[in-house]
């Protein structure tokens, strides 16, 4: 790629990162903040079925995301119709995904095969394949990107496109014996029928696998998804592929999309598992199950999935009387206090401390503050004994911060002055101050130079935490009713899942991305963010009064302007 192309592609990728779902912002800050508590807050092991070489272990029955579309190639254009995204994206976004390097390499490989092997293939085969009805399951790699995919394309056995693919595969067995890119990948038995699979190398280090049965084409983005190092099919991969070929909908079952939810025909649907957008913290937020975005009649609709239980009290909107009104972005966090028990046990603290937490928490970001240092608020039970609680939380806070690495900047400065000789030299010292405040206490940990690392404060029955000290005082002012609260803005008392203020959020994102590239490179993106900042604030609310009765119950989100 020439330098000019590289410069052009980078803003487009940055634009996608900024625009595809505001939950990415939430997850990014959680990941950045994990440096302080990562040693204690580890996601519990899950049952996995496929081990990727130098990669994660994947559960093929539980994808991180699922895309369903009547016309898969239309999806980038459909995203231009979504609120917020319509203001951020442009035709360049569509062009980028229609002409990306992987697609062009795959087209080139097929053209070579057609030319050298005298095959009759439609000139626009890849484009026609992507224009069919499709279902694509995606899993994230270790870097958090949705890298691995397993797709089913419905071509139709008698349709011209299905016949073209069938004819190609009839010739593929012989071609695979001598070709350098197309190889046989074994066979599967589906309903007593033998289905051959093939691998196709289209980049230096990339190969996909595919098979065709009764009008359906199943494609795996990586051979490791379906076969082990001995080129044998994973038992679970065989099961999933068989279900895809026989239309048993294994991925829809994971997202509970097989009942009444799936009755209406949709143009496109994107479902995202909570494990993806909570970045490993989902074990502490067990009520959250998934997010979903449906495109119906040209309009996008959004949904929140909660696990079975009575969520009315948990999501009560009264929590937002404790959050500052000038936030850029706030999300509700239904924490499960008992999930923190391993941390309490490891630190030899009294488990009774968990009884003080109601589980109702929020996380908020603010303009002109670091993205990686949000404000977190947690409600405490009013009947708690705060004398005992303060003693326990003080000890836990001291141990948690002391045993973790310093923030990157402090660590780098410390390393330059005193080169470390052991891993322990990067640990934060136990410099903690405790201050009495009005109706509560404040704890602060500092580094060796007296710079604040983390601050925790309790005022009455509410706890505040941040890695950015000024946000604690801002939160305390709100609790003291010396500053307006977000709850004062709400249009009704429905449960709140997300609050977005485009103006402050635009400033926050602009400040962050300017740290990675120049204004010249990011010019178009900065202009779009500035335009987005003129939009009114909105809040995503839902009716939590109905009890969730299934493992995953979907609630429509209503986006109300403030």
């Amino acid at each position: 790629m020439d330098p000019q192309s590289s410069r052009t592609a980078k803003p487009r990728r940055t634009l996608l990162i900024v625009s595809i779902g505001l939950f990415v912002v939430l997850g990014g800050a959680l990941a950045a903040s994990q440096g302080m508590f990562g040693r204690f807050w580890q996601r519990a092991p899950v049952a996995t079925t496929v081990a990727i070489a130098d990669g994660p272990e994947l559960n093929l029955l539980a994808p991180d995301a699922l895309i369903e579309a009547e016309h898969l190639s239309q999806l980038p254009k459909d995203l231009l119709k979504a609120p917020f995204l319509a203001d951020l994206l442009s035709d360049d976004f569509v062009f980028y995904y229609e002409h990306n390097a992987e697609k062009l390499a795959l087209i080139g490989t097929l053209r070579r095969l057609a030319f050298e092997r005298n095959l009759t293939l439609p000139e626009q085969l890849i484009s026609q394949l992507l224009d069919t009805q499709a279902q694509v399951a995606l899993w994230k790699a270790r870097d958090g990107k949705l890298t691995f995919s397993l797709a089913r394309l419905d071509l139709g056995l008698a349709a011209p496109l299905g016949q073209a693919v069938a004819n190609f595969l009839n010739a593929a067995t012989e071609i695979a014996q001598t070709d350098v890119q197309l190889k046989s990948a074994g066979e599967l038995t589906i309903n007593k029928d033998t289905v051959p699979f093939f691998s196709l190398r289209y980049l230096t280090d990339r190969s996909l696998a595919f098979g065709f049965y009764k009008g359906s084409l199943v494609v795996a983005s990586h051979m490791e998804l379906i076969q082990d190092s001995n080129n044998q099919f994973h038992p679970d991969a065989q099961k999933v592929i068989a279900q895809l070929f026989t239309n048993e909908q294994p991925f829809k079952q994971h997202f509970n999309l097989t009942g009444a939810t799936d009755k209406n025909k949709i143009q496109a649907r994107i479902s995202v598992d909570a494990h993806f957008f909570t970045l490993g913290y989902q074990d502490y937020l067990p009520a959250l199950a998934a997010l979903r975005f449906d495109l119906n009649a040209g309009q996008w609709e959004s949904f929140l999935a909660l696990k079975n239980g009575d969520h009315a009290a948990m999501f009560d909107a009264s929590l937002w009387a404790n959050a500052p009104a000038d936030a850029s972005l706030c999300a509700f966090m239904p924490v499960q206090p008992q999930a923190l028990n391993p941390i309490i046990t490891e630190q030899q603290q009294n488990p009774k401390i968990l009884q003080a937490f109601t589980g109702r928490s929020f996380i908020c970001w603010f303009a002109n503050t670091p993205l990686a240092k949000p404000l977190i608020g947690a409600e405490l039970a009013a009947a708690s004994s705060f004398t005992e609680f303060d003693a326990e939380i003080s000890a836990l806070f001291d141990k948690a911060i002391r045993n973790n690495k310093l923030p990157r900047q402090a660590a780098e400065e410390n390393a330059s002055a005193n080169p470390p000789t052991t891993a322990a030299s990067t640990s934060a010292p136990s410099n903690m101050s405790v201050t009495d405040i009005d109706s509560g206490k404040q704890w602060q940990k500092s580094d060796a130079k007296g710079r604040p690392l983390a601050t925790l404060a309790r005022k009455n029955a509410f706890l505040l935490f941040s890695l950015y000290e000024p946000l604690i005082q801002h939160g305390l002012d709100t609790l003291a009713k010396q500053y307006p609260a977000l709850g004062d803005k709400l249009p009704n008392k429905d449960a709140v899942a997300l609050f977005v203020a485009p103006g402050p959020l635009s400033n926050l994102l602009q400040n962050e991305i300017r740290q990675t590239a120049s204004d010249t490179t990011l010019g178009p993106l900065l202009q779009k963010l500035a335009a987005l900042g003129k939009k009114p604030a909105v809040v995503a609310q839902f009716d939590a009064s109905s009890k969730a009765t299934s493992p995953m119950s979907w609630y429509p989100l209503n986006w109300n302007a403030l």
Side-chain angles (χ1 to χ4, degrees):
M1 180 180 290
D2 62 83
Q4 180 62 37
S5 298
S6 178
R7 288 193 296 269
T8 303
K10 185 173 181 179
R12 289 175 183 153
R13 289 194 293 270
T14 304
L15 180 57
L16 175 63
I17 293 171
V18 172
S19 59
I20 282 290
L22 291 173
F23 62 82
V24 173
V25 179
L26 168 62
L30 281 173
S33 301
Q34 192 176 6
M36 277 291 179
F37 292 104
R39 181 173 180 270
F40 306 106
W41 282 27
Q42 295 294 331
R43 177 178 170 180
V46 296
T48 52
T49 56
V50 175
I52 302 296
D54 299 322
E57 291 185 324
L58 307 178
N59 184 347
L60 290 185
L61 292 174
D64 291 304
L66 176 64
I67 296 174
E68 304 165 75
E70 285 294 305
H71 301 279
L72 187 60
S73 61
Q74 181 67 27
L75 187 59
K77 295 179 181 178
D78 288 334
L79 287 172
L80 295 179
K81 304 173 184 177
F84 290 112
L85 299 189
D87 298 295
L88 284 173
L89 302 179
S90 67
D91 290 338
D92 285 346
F93 167 77
V94 178
F95 179 86
Y96 176 74
Y97 278 90
E98 288 181 345
H99 299 82
N100 68 77
E102 291 191 9
K103 179 180 177 181
L104 295 178
L106 189 55
I107 291 174
T109 299
L110 291 176
R111 285 178 175 172
R112 180 195 66 78
L113 284 170
F115 176 76
E116 293 182 0
R117 306 292 179 166
N118 195 28
L119 299 175
T120 301
L121 291 176
E123 177 65 22
Q124 301 296 325
L125 176 61
I126 298 299
S127 296
Q128 292 179 33
L129 288 174
L130 294 178
D131 195 43
T132 59
Q133 184 177 4
Q135 186 179 120
V136 184
L138 301 114
W139 293 264
K140 63 182 178 182
R142 290 196 186 279
D143 60 5
K145 298 178 182 178
L146 293 172
T147 301
F148 304 99
S149 64
L150 190 59
R152 189 193 73 187
L153 309 177
D154 296 327
L155 312 183
L157 188 58
L161 184 57
Q163 291 179 344
V165 171
N167 291 336
F168 169 71
L169 293 180
N170 287 336
T173 301
E174 181 178 346
I175 296 173
Q177 295 177 7
T178 57
D179 197 78
V180 295
Q181 290 179 280
L182 180 67
K183 297 293 182 181
S184 175
E187 298 176 338
L188 287 179
T189 300
I190 310 295
N191 290 340
K192 299 183 179 181
D193 295 325
T194 299
V195 179
F197 263 73
F198 300 89
S199 67
L200 182 66
R201 180 171 58 82
Y202 59 99
L203 287 174
T204 303
D205 58 346
R206 289 292 302 273
S207 295
L208 56 78
F210 59 92
F212 184 74
Y213 178 67
K214 292 190 175 180
S216 293
L217 180 69
V218 169
V219 182
S221 62
H222 296 70
M223 286 298 300
E224 299 97 317
L225 271 177
I226 64 172
Q227 290 188 346
D228 58 25
S229 57
N230 296 319
N231 299 321
Q232 299 297 311
F233 282 94
H234 298 292
D236 288 282
Q238 294 185 51
K239 177 181 178 181
V240 171
I241 291 172
Q243 290 177 332
L244 288 174
F245 275 136
T246 56
N247 201 31
E248 293 182 42
Q249 308 293 350
F251 306 133
K252 285 191 175 184
Q253 292 176 20
H254 174 64
F255 287 102
N256 195 26
L257 298 173
T258 55
T261 303
D262 205 40
K263 285 183 178 179
N264 297 326
K265 191 176 182 66
I266 50 98
Q267 295 171 258
R269 174 187 287 148
I270 302 173
S271 305
V272 186
D273 190 278
H275 279 295
F276 175 70
F277 62 82
T278 58
L279 294 179
Y281 288 86
Q282 209 267 335
D283 291 318
Y284 304 100
L285 308 168
L288 296 181
L291 287 172
R292 193 179 95 232
F293 307 91
D294 290 3
L295 180 63
N296 285 306
Q299 299 293 320
W300 283 97
E301 301 171 314
S302 51
F303 302 82
L304 172 68
L306 300 177
K307 294 186 178 178
N308 57 322
D310 188 349
H311 303 291
M314 173 65 77
F315 283 87
D316 186 89
S318 61
L319 175 73
W320 300 105
N322 306 297
D326 62 336
S328 301
L329 176 70
C330 285
F332 184 88
M333 296 197 303
V335 177
Q336 172 55 265
Q338 295 307 314
L340 303 175
N341 194 58
I343 300 174
I344 303 300
T345 301
E346 179 183 345
Q347 296 303 307
Q348 299 180 343
Q349 299 297 137
N350 189 343
K352 288 180 63 177
I353 191 176
L354 298 177
Q355 298 176 11
F357 291 90
T358 66
R360 287 159 44 79
S361 309
F362 65 70
I363 183 168
C364 291
W365 291 265
F366 298 82
N368 303 317
T369 64
L371 178 66
K373 299 180 179 181
L375 175 68
I376 298 174
E379 183 184 76
L380 303 175
S384 300
S385 171
F386 292 123
T387 300
E388 182 180 359
F389 174 83
D390 289 347
E392 292 290 340
I393 201 71
S394 176
L396 180 61
F397 180 68
D398 187 27
K399 293 177 182 177
I401 303 301
R402 182 180 62 233
N403 289 332
N404 283 271
K405 291 184 178 180
L406 293 164
R408 182 175 61 183
Q409 179 180 1
E412 290 174 351
E413 292 178 4
N414 183 57
S416 62
N418 303 291
T421 56
T422 65
S425 65
T426 60
S427 295
S430 180
N431 297 337
M432 185 175 76
S433 62
V434 183
T435 307
D436 289 326
I437 61 174
D438 182 31
S439 303
K441 285 186 178 295
Q442 177 171 301
W443 301 265
Q444 187 171 87
K445 295 299 295 288
S446 303
D447 64 13
K449 296 183 178 180
R451 294 169 299 195
L453 294 174
T455 307
L456 182 73
R458 179 191 62 79
K459 182 176 178 62
N460 294 320
F462 208 81
L463 200 64
L464 296 169
F465 171 80
S466 182
L467 303 180
Y468 187 61
E469 181 187 17
L471 286 183
I472 295 295
Q473 187 58 52
H474 192 37
L476 290 173
D477 290 342
T478 304
L479 294 175
K481 301 190 181 305
Q482 297 174 359
Y483 192 85
L486 180 56
D488 299 333
K489 292 183 174 184
L490 299 181
N492 54 57
K493 294 185 178 181
D494 283 351
V496 173
L498 190 71
F499 165 80
V500 184
L505 181 60
S506 172
N507 293 335
L508 174 65
L509 294 176
Q510 289 185 66
N511 291 338
E512 287 295 321
I513 63 176
R514 279 192 170 110
Q515 298 179 28
T516 63
S518 66
D519 283 12
T520 301
T521 303
L522 295 170
L525 175 57
L526 294 176
Q527 294 174 12
K528 288 184 173 293
L529 285 173
L532 176 67
K534 298 178 182 179
K535 299 293 182 179
V538 294
V539 60
Q541 295 181 282
F542 66 100
D543 181 5
S545 61
S546 58
K547 185 177 181 179
T549 56
S550 66
M552 184 182 292
S553 294
W554 289 101
Y555 295 82
L557 290 176
N558 300 312
W559 293 85
N560 297 314
L562 300 179

